[in-house]
Amino acid sequence: MMKSVRIGVIGCGTIGKRVADAVRLQSDMQLVGIGLRTPNPTALSAHLSGIPLFCTDPMRFDRFEKGGLPCAGGLRDLLSQVDVILDCTQAGEGAKRLALYQEMGVKSIFQGGEKHATTGLTFSTFGNFEDAIGRSAVRVGSCNTTGLVRLLSTLDRYWGVKHAEGSLVRCSTDPDKAENGLPNGAAPVFGLSHHGPDAQLVMPTLSIFTQAVAVPMFFSHVQMMSVKLNKPADRDEVMNVLCNTPRILVESHRKVGKTTAQLSHYYAETPRMRGDRQELLLWEESIVVEGDQLHAMTSIDMQCITIPETIDCIRAVMGLETERNRCMWQTDSALGIQKHEVCYQPSSLTV
């Protein structure tokens, strides 16, 4: 039996705590510990669940002692015990540690806040899974990039995508970062937003234009998509493909709600941990197909949509699984978001 891959997580915030929980659900992975600079309530929760804590700043060891949290060591101590480090810290912070990760012989996976140039590869399971196999350092695409690639790569696989345009309505902050209130106004990004070019890092031949605006909310992002296909499509066929594609949900607003707040409250009442929705959701009523033109509205839970891709990335860089669909089945089954097994077979659908 293959030995479990040893995983360390840096950062215990919105993404870090979710990645740590996801790793613990995988049968072929072992969470060695979480590294962080300063103790916080999330770190206490991790400690109470039996996860060792490591201090990444040697000048802050005393804060762990004062907070009553045992510290298992420093950053090098954590790195000496792991095969892969998942750096989930704020944008720009992870890049500062890349040289140390390389020095210690540890593979590293960063989140979308880091620049593409940090690793030279932006990863999405749906778009370029094979490119990450055996890599020493990878950046997982951002929440919006992940959602765009899931949808557009699926449409491209069956109908071909000639051009896509997206208008993104972004949350101005995360729920756990809104202690100072929300701004009273919308903040547009003028011209081309970074989301389209980020998707092209994963799908190089994709023609896409995106624009974005940040608004005073924190439940989930909304993407309004218009896609020109290479050939005409039938709405029923599109619905069938999307409903049978892993990590994509198609739901009626009568069930889950029309607003992002209603949507969040709906999933908060389900057995899912924290009410997280790791799938891309499309409102059924928003899907309009007119010949070769498709329009749809999607919702992205920015706190957790990248978690499955991060787990897939671990398997890719370590060579635990080299076939995309098998990797997705293993990840999704462990996370409890799997669809029927036939949905993970490469040729399960025809249109």
Side-chain angles (χ1 to χ4, degrees):
M1 180 179 294
M2 180 175 289
K3 184 178 178 181
S4 294
V5 172
R6 302 168 301 165
I7 308 296
V9 176
I10 305 295
C12 201
T14 300
I15 299 297
K17 64 185 180 185
R18 288 173 165 83
V19 165
D21 289 335
V23 167
R24 299 182 86 189
L25 294 172
Q26 311 304 312
S27 61
D28 52 355
M29 300 178 196
Q30 172 197 354
L31 180 63
V32 173
I34 296 176
L36 66 162
R37 297 177 68 237
T38 305
N40 56 36
T42 305
L44 174 60
S45 177
H47 165 64
L48 294 176
S49 64
I51 302 175
L53 302 177
F54 294 78
C55 181
T56 60
D57 186 339
M59 303 300 293
R60 298 187 177 217
F61 274 90
D62 61 322
R63 300 195 182 190
F64 285 77
E65 297 175 3
K66 292 176 181 178
L69 289 176
C71 184
L75 177 56
R76 285 181 175 271
D77 297 310
L78 175 59
L79 295 177
S80 68
Q81 301 176 49
V82 304
D83 304 301
V84 182
I85 198 75
L86 308 178
D87 197 306
C88 305
T89 54
Q90 295 179 352
E93 292 300 313
K96 298 175 184 177
R97 289 183 285 269
L98 177 59
L100 177 59
Y101 299 156
Q102 294 172 331
E103 174 192 332
M104 299 286 289
V106 174
K107 292 179 181 287
S108 53
I109 297 174
F110 301 88
Q111 293 299 308
E114 294 298 337
K115 299 293 186 182
H116 171 79
T118 300
T119 67
L121 179 67
T122 295
F123 173 85
S124 172
T125 308
F126 279 61
N128 60 355
F129 175 83
E130 293 78 10
D131 293 346
I133 296 173
R135 295 271 303 201
S136 61
V138 179
R139 169 197 185 233
V140 174
S142 70
C143 53
N144 274 305
T145 301
T146 298
L148 286 170
V149 173
R150 285 186 191 175
L151 176 63
L152 295 177
S153 67
T154 299
L155 296 176
D156 190 55
R157 187 173 302 115
Y158 289 96
W159 294 277
V161 171
K162 183 174 294 184
H163 180 70
E165 296 199 358
S167 297
L168 282 59
V169 183
R170 298 178 52 249
C171 297
S172 57
T173 188
D174 289 327
D176 63 343
K177 298 181 179 66
E179 66 272 11
N180 294 323
L182 294 171
N184 183 22
V189 174
F190 299 116
L192 175 67
S193 71
H194 72 85
H195 307 95
D198 275 0
Q200 289 172 323
L201 294 173
V202 179
M203 301 175 63
T205 62
L206 176 66
S207 173
I208 185 172
F209 181 89
T210 55
Q211 52 189 347
V213 58
V215 299
M217 64 180 188
F218 56 58
F219 284 120
S220 64
H221 302 319
V222 173
Q223 297 181 342
M224 295 174 284
M225 302 299 302
S226 292
V227 184
K228 182 79 168 178
L229 304 172
N230 284 337
K231 59 182 180 180
D234 176 82
R235 186 178 188 274
D236 289 340
E237 290 180 341
V238 171
M239 292 285 290
N240 184 49
V241 166
L242 294 176
C243 288
N244 287 283
T245 297
R247 301 180 192 172
I248 293 179
L249 298 175
V250 180
E251 299 285 6
S252 170
H253 72 78
R254 295 180 180 87
K255 175 183 176 182
V256 300
K258 183 179 290 186
T259 73
T260 56
Q262 292 171 331
L263 186 60
S264 177
H265 291 154
Y266 173 84
Y267 282 97
E269 297 299 322
T270 68
R272 294 171 176 237
M273 181 181 291
R274 304 185 183 92
D276 284 351
R277 173 175 45 84
Q278 298 169 343
E279 303 95 332
L280 173 71
L281 184 140
L282 290 85
W283 279 283
E284 178 182 348
E285 293 82 1
S286 77
I287 300 174
V288 177
V289 180
E290 299 174 332
D292 60 359
Q293 194 76 31
L294 180 146
H295 309 276
M297 292 183 182
T298 74
S299 170
I300 291 176
D301 189 337
M302 65 280 189
Q303 300 182 98
C304 61
I305 192 173
T306 64
I307 303 304
E309 270 71 3
T310 301
I311 299 300
D312 292 341
C313 193
I314 295 172
R315 292 200 170 94
V317 300
M318 290 301 297
L320 296 177
E321 181 54 75
T322 58
E323 203 283 317
R324 182 184 77 108
N325 291 286
R326 288 199 302 265
C327 182
M328 291 176 63
W329 168 253
Q330 190 171 354
T331 297
D332 293 1
S333 297
L335 296 177
I337 61 170
Q338 77 277 15
K339 292 189 175 181
H340 192 281
E341 192 169 2
V342 71
C343 298
Y344 296 82
Q345 297 174 6
S347 302
S348 60
L349 296 173
T350 57
V351 296

